[in-house]
């Protein structure tokens, strides 16, 4: 079946540093989504990518849909304490609209 | 603007007991989904529904049943709870994929413990 590998699994950074995380898949996806999950809450959508090569920003967040359609990355610039949480990538193919989720990247930011 | 609402938020069950988790959305979404989230494994799809009266199996459907009698509600049932079903359960909804690949919106989760 389809698999998504998300890395790194966890990151411990200093406030103000930039962060980068990525996801790779074993198959092609037509959509890549990046979610953030705060403790005790459900995932909240950060960025949605719909075209290969697409680069989209949302404030300090930037995400790209890889040209091969098998990967995506998320960058966070100038991290702040409220960036703490678990970040998930999710990919969707064109068969049924189901999402496949990565394992998550847990981000910790030290003030 | 409630979005996706899950009830209950927490529940503790004994092995063999049954229960139903309720998901309600007020966004007129066609698609609804149930996921479970376990440490280090991300979210895995249990069952989903592409419209009222329809359901389909996801990645990990065994031990669960679902029903979509009304468009706004999606129920997840555990007929005979097992400790392996201890998890956090998330419901999500979205417009159909034919409406611009709309992303899924998630509820806040139900934390279920099976003793």
């Amino acid at each position: 079946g389809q698999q998504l590998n998300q890395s790194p699994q966890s990151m411990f950074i200093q406030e103000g540093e930039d962060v980068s995380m990525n996801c790779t898949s074993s198959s092609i996806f037509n959509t890549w989504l990046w979610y953030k999950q705060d403790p005790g809450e459900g995932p909240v959508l950060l960025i949605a990518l719909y075209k290969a090569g697409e680069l989209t920003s949302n404030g300090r967040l930037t995400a790209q849909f890889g040209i091969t359609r098998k990967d995506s990355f998320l960058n966070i610039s100038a991290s702040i304490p409220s960036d703490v949480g678990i970040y998930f990538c999710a990919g969707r193919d064109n068969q049924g609209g189901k999402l496949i989720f990565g394992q998550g990247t847990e981000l910790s930011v030290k003030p | 603007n409630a979005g996706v609402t899950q009830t209950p938020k927490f529940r503790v069950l004994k092995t063999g007991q049954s229960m139903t988790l309720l998901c309600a959305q007020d966004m007129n979404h066609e698609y609804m989904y149930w996921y479970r989230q376990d440490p280090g494994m991300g979210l895995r799809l249990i069952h989903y529904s592409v419209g009222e009266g329809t359901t389909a199996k996801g990645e990990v459907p065994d031990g669960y049943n679902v029903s979509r009698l009304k468009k706004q509600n999606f129920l997840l049932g555990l007929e005979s709870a097992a400790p392996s079903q201890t998890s956090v359960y998330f419901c999500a909804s979205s417009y159909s994929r034919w409406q611009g690949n709309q992303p899924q919106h998630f509820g806040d989760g139900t934390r279920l413990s099976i003793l």
Side-chain angles (χ1 to χ4, degrees):
Chain A
Q2 294 173 321
Q3 293 184 351
L4 272 185
N5 290 315
Q6 184 172 350
S7 64
Q9 288 188 340
S10 61
M11 302 181 73
F12 297 86
I13 64 171
Q14 197 76 30
E15 182 178 0
E17 291 183 350
D18 296 342
V19 173
S20 183
M21 59 192 78
N22 68 82
C23 276
T24 59
S25 74
S26 57
S27 56
I28 290 173
F29 286 127
N30 288 335
T31 301
W32 281 97
L33 305 173
W34 284 92
Y35 286 87
K36 183 194 176 193
Q37 184 178 25
D38 291 323
E41 298 183 10
V44 174
L45 182 69
L46 297 174
I47 292 179
L49 302 161
Y50 300 114
K51 296 181 182 179
E54 180 180 356
L55 183 71
T56 297
S57 293
N58 178 8
R60 293 179 295 105
L61 279 61
T62 301
Q64 184 159 30
F65 191 145
I67 292 292
T68 65
R69 295 165 67 191
K70 291 185 177 182
D71 63 314
S72 176
F73 71 75
L74 174 70
N75 287 340
I76 305 173
S77 62
S79 58
I80 58 178
S82 62
D83 290 335
V84 166
I86 302 177
Y87 292 79
F88 289 100
C89 63
R92 178 163 57 200
D93 63 17
N94 60 355
Q95 300 174 7
K98 300 187 295 292
L99 286 181
I100 307 295
F101 281 83
Q103 303 95 323
T105 296
E106 185 168 7
L107 178 64
S108 300
V109 179
K110 185 177 180 181
Chain B
N1 202 8
V4 179
T5 303
Q6 291 182 233
T7 53
K9 295 190 185 301
F10 305 94
R11 186 71 183 269
V12 178
L13 292 178
K14 294 181 180 179
T15 298
Q17 286 185 317
S18 63
M19 81 161 294
T20 300
L21 280 64
L22 171 64
C23 177
Q25 53 94 5
D26 62 1
M27 296 172 282
N28 201 35
H29 285 166
E30 291 290 334
Y31 284 25
M32 296 187 75
Y33 314 79
W34 274 107
Y35 293 89
R36 60 176 290 173
Q37 184 178 30
D38 302 295
M41 301 190 73
L43 290 98
R44 292 182 293 168
L45 183 64
I46 304 172
H47 287 280
Y48 66 101
S49 168
V50 301
E52 181 178 323
T54 71
T55 63
K57 293 181 180 180
E59 182 184 355
V60 288
D62 295 341
Y64 305 95
N65 57 75
V66 288
S67 64
R68 183 94 181 271
L69 299 179
K70 293 183 179 180
K71 185 177 182 179
Q72 63 267 33
N73 296 336
F74 195 28
L75 306 179
L76 177 71
L78 286 73
E79 292 184 347
S80 179
S84 61
Q85 293 177 305
T86 293
S87 186
V88 182
Y89 291 85
F90 286 98
C91 175
S93 69
S94 69
Y95 289 111
S96 74
R97 63 191 175 104
W98 304 116
Q99 291 173 292
N101 276 322
Q102 293 297 315
Q104 296 177 12
H105 298 264
F106 285 82
D108 285 339
T110 295
R111 189 173 298 274
L112 185 61
S113 295
I114 315 295
L115 304 178

